[in-house]
Amino acid sequence: LVERVEGFAPVTDWDRAYGEINAFERQLTDHGMAVAKFWIHISADEQLRRFKERERVVYKQFKITDEDWRNRKKMPAYREAVEEMLARCTAPDATWTVVAGNDKRFARVQILRTIAERIERADMLGFVPDRACEHLVGEACGTRGPDEDARLQEPLGAEGEAIVVGDDDTIP
């Protein structure tokens, strides 16, 4: 999107990228990978509110730059680029989920539900990770080392403690 809107790449390059992205995603899904893509949309009014809050709140000031304000002026061009990306970079097994992002909690829950549904669908289709994939998942979660052949355990936190998600319906 940035290359297109800012003119960092000629039309032929960013236009070609759509086909390359689709081919890459097709390779993933052809090999049993579940692909979940999200576009989190916020309104212009909500973006403005967040920008102003970032300027006002000291610990959020690092999140806002002159570039953000400059890019905001290009919102129509970005909107056009996003719409084309959503239309051209989608496939039956690699669809986009457009998330209403004005409410952060709602957006996070929608994303988590979509991921869970994609995982369930992959499971129903009989996808079973091969040993190499299971090994990588284990390492990424910190549940086993490269030479261990143990079953996957609960993911571990930085200090080795189990990660527990509260039951009070809050999102950390």
Side-chain angles (χ1 to χ4, degrees), residues 29-102:
T29 58
D30 286 351
H31 288 90
M33 298 292 139
V35 176
K37 302 185 299 188
F38 301 93
W39 180 262
I40 303 172
H41 173 77
I42 63 170
S43 69
D45 289 342
E46 177 63 14
Q47 182 189 52
L48 180 60
R49 186 194 69 74
R50 291 181 188 182
F51 278 18
K52 287 180 178 180
E53 178 182 29
R54 289 173 181 173
E55 285 185 324
R56 190 180 70 253
V57 178
V58 174
Y59 67 87
K60 291 186 176 187
Q61 289 175 353
F62 77 95
K63 294 182 177 186
I64 189 79
T65 67
D66 291 340
E67 285 290 301
D68 295 312
W69 289 106
R70 186 185 67 78
N71 291 337
R72 181 175 160 74
K73 294 176 184 171
K74 297 181 179 189
M75 191 175 282
Y78 274 102
R79 186 177 302 116
E80 181 181 323
V82 167
E83 288 173 3
E84 185 170 356
M85 175 194 68
L86 295 174
R88 292 185 62 188
C89 289
T90 194
D93 292 328
T95 58
W96 283 94
T97 300
V98 179
V99 179
N102 283 357

Side-chain angles (χ1 to χ4, degrees), residues 19-32:
E20 293 170 353
I21 292 166
N22 289 333
F24 173 69
E25 290 174 352
R26 194 169 22 264
Q27 288 176 16
L28 293 174
T29 58
D30 286 351
H31 288 90

Side-chain angles (χ1 to χ4, degrees), residues 3-5 12 24 49 51-52 82 93 96 106 120 126 139 149-150 158 169 171:
E3 289 79 2
R4 173 182 173 162
V5 174
T12 53
F24 173 69
R49 186 194 69 74
F51 278 18
K52 287 180 178 180
V82 167
D93 292 328
W96 283 94
F106 175 84
E120 286 176 6
E139 284 185 39
D149 193 26
D169 258 345
I171 298 175

